[in-house]
Amino acid sequence: MTAKPISHSPFFRLESKRKLANLLGLSVKEIQSITKVLKTNPSEYYHVFTMKQKGKSRQVEEPIGILKGIHSRIKDLFARTEVPTWLISGQKGKNITDNARPHIPANFVTCVDIEKFYKHVARERVYQMFLYTFQTSPDVAFFLTELVMFQDVQTGHCFIPTGSPCSQVVAFWAYYHTFNDIADYVTRLGVTMTLYVDDLTLSFSRPISSKIINNIHNRLKSVGLSFKLSKIKHYGPSHYKVVTGNCITPGHQLIPTRKLRHDISKMVNNQNLDSFTLKQLRSLNGKIAATHLQDPTMFLPLYGKTRKILKQKMASNKPQSKH
């Protein structure tokens, strides 16, 4: 399906709770019941757990049951609306490598990571997005906001759930005008910009000035978002530039990062693949597949062997049908 302007969005000027319910495959009473429970007992609709990522623990709020289906439906409905070319995340057929490609020709690259983006997405911003950007009625905006936000009943903090299929697109549209202002600003200066969830990448023929960075920082701060100036990564002509897990060489070639190649080598070092668990095989398979986004010839023999053993183990673990 070809994405169309916002005026063609299924949400655009949606003013009836009944039409919203039909759009989501629910009744109005079901929506009212779900949103009421989400306020008082979100554990009925969310699996909340802690996972480790890059050595740090983070909480994940994953919708379950009927709410997961609602979030998937909302994601699909948003996907019908066209987005700017500088937005890479959440777009069908695009991945982290597509986020790096526009920056390959540049000599200077700057990477900015918006701090705790989902946790800082304000409920009011989401409500205003539905009400003003998509021009829904206040009650429709209210129910859509309640459905996509997670509220911690202990602290009262309301934010975008990290494990939801619609969180990427909701977070983007909630701050669409902010990101668009930044894109317009840097484009006028000749700077190339891409956005991948909370990773903002800028590239130019000259170093990205502190004035540009400060103006972007101030624009984000005006809507409650921020990034740590100390964590900004600046790359010059002689640097290997790491952009969302990809590496751009000084010779303007895209290659897998040294860390990814090291991780793969470390996993298989003096190891018998037959002794790997399903989880380990899936991890190894995913890492090799990631290198193929830049170089389809890398680790080819290992890739073939890993896939073969993975397929065999998956088949042996498959429950036998009863006759």
Side-chain angles (χ1 to χ4, degrees):
M1 181 181 292
T2 303
K4 296 181 180 180
I6 198 169
S7 58
H8 289 74
S9 165
F11 296 123
F12 190 70
R13 293 184 178 171
L14 188 61
E15 299 181 343
S16 161
K17 288 183 287 186
R18 181 181 57 81
K19 288 183 179 178
L20 170 63
N22 290 339
L23 200 60
L24 299 179
L26 303 166
S27 68
V28 174
K29 282 188 176 181
E30 283 178 309
I31 292 179
Q32 291 171 331
S33 173
I34 292 168
T35 53
K36 185 177 180 181
V37 173
L38 285 171
K39 281 284 190 183
T40 57
N41 190 21
S43 61
E44 283 199 28
Y45 292 108
Y46 280 98
H47 171 44
V48 181
F49 59 97
T50 302
M51 68 176 292
K52 282 194 173 182
Q53 190 176 46
K54 297 179 180 178
K56 295 181 180 179
S57 295
R58 70 180 185 96
Q59 180 177 292
V60 177
E61 306 83 24
E62 181 181 17
I64 56 176
I66 190 171
L67 187 64
K68 185 171 184 178
I70 293 170
H71 282 200
S72 294
R73 174 65 173 161
I74 289 172
K75 174 190 174 184
D76 292 342
L77 292 169
F78 267 117
R80 300 180 188 182
T81 303
E82 63 186 9
V83 296
T85 55
W86 44 260
L87 177 68
I88 308 300
S89 56
Q91 305 310 300
K92 190 174 182 180
K94 291 190 177 182
N95 52 51
I96 56 174
T97 299
D98 294 297
N99 188 58
R101 292 191 194 283
H103 307 287
I104 292 174
N107 285 323
F108 295 89
V109 175
T110 294
C111 299
V112 174
D113 182 13
I114 300 172
E115 192 174 13
K116 296 180 180 178
F117 184 30
Y118 284 3
K119 297 292 184 183
H120 286 141
V121 173
R123 182 193 180 282
E124 189 62 22
R125 288 282 166 186
V126 175
Y127 175 75
Q128 290 176 357
M129 174 263 289
F130 286 118
L131 185 65
Y132 298 122
T133 305
F134 287 87
Q135 300 180 32
T136 71
S137 63
D139 55 351
V140 168
F142 169 80
F143 281 116
L144 279 168
T145 302
E146 294 299 297
L147 286 170
V148 301
M149 300 296 289
F150 176 86
Q151 181 165 320
D152 188 319
V153 292
Q154 293 183 330
T155 64
H157 183 205
C158 197
F159 52 89
I160 289 283
T162 54
S164 167
C166 71
S167 286
Q168 273 191 21
V169 67
V170 170
F172 165 72
W173 280 109
Y175 293 90
Y176 163 72
H177 296 293
T178 301
F179 291 130
N180 202 49
D181 286 349
I182 293 171
D184 285 347
Y185 165 62
V186 299
T187 300
R188 286 197 302 270
L189 299 173
V191 175
T192 297
M193 178 188 116
T194 60
L195 178 68
Y196 199 93
V197 190
D198 54 1
D199 289 317
L200 190 66
T201 306
L202 308 167
S203 62
F204 197 32
S205 56
R206 301 191 299 275
I208 306 295
S209 69
S210 57
K211 180 182 178 181
I212 292 175
I213 297 300
N214 288 333
N215 284 340
I216 292 173
H217 194 217
N218 290 336
R219 183 66 181 94
L220 290 172
K221 282 175 66 178
S222 72
V223 293
L225 301 177
S226 66
F227 55 82
K228 289 185 178 179
L229 294 170
S230 60
K231 289 191 174 182
I232 296 175
K233 295 176 182 176
H234 295 285
Y235 301 102
S238 63
H239 294 140
Y240 284 81
K241 307 163 186 69
V242 179
V243 179
T244 52
N246 301 274
C247 184
I248 302 172
T249 71
H252 306 286
Q253 299 294 317
L254 200 59
I255 62 172
T257 62
R258 182 185 300 175
K259 182 182 183 305
L260 180 58
R261 287 174 283 151
H262 173 74
D263 287 348
I264 293 170
S265 299
K266 187 177 178 181
M267 283 185 75
V268 299
N269 186 34
N270 298 321
Q271 297 289 325
N272 183 353
L273 291 185
D274 290 310
S275 66
F276 276 35
T277 64
L278 263 177
K279 184 179 179 179
Q280 289 173 318
L281 285 168
R282 286 191 176 112
S283 176
L284 178 59
N285 185 67
K287 288 179 184 295
I288 299 174
T291 69
H292 287 183
L293 293 173
Q294 299 94 11
D295 185 352
T297 65
M298 191 164 282
F299 297 108
L300 266 184
L302 177 62
Y303 191 46
K305 188 175 180 181
T306 302
R307 288 174 63 86
K308 181 181 178 181
I309 296 173
L310 178 60
K311 188 175 180 180
Q312 290 171 346
K313 289 213 172 189
M314 287 177 67
S316 64
N317 280 13
K318 202 172 183 180
Q320 297 296 316
S321 58
K322 295 181 179 179
H323 297 285

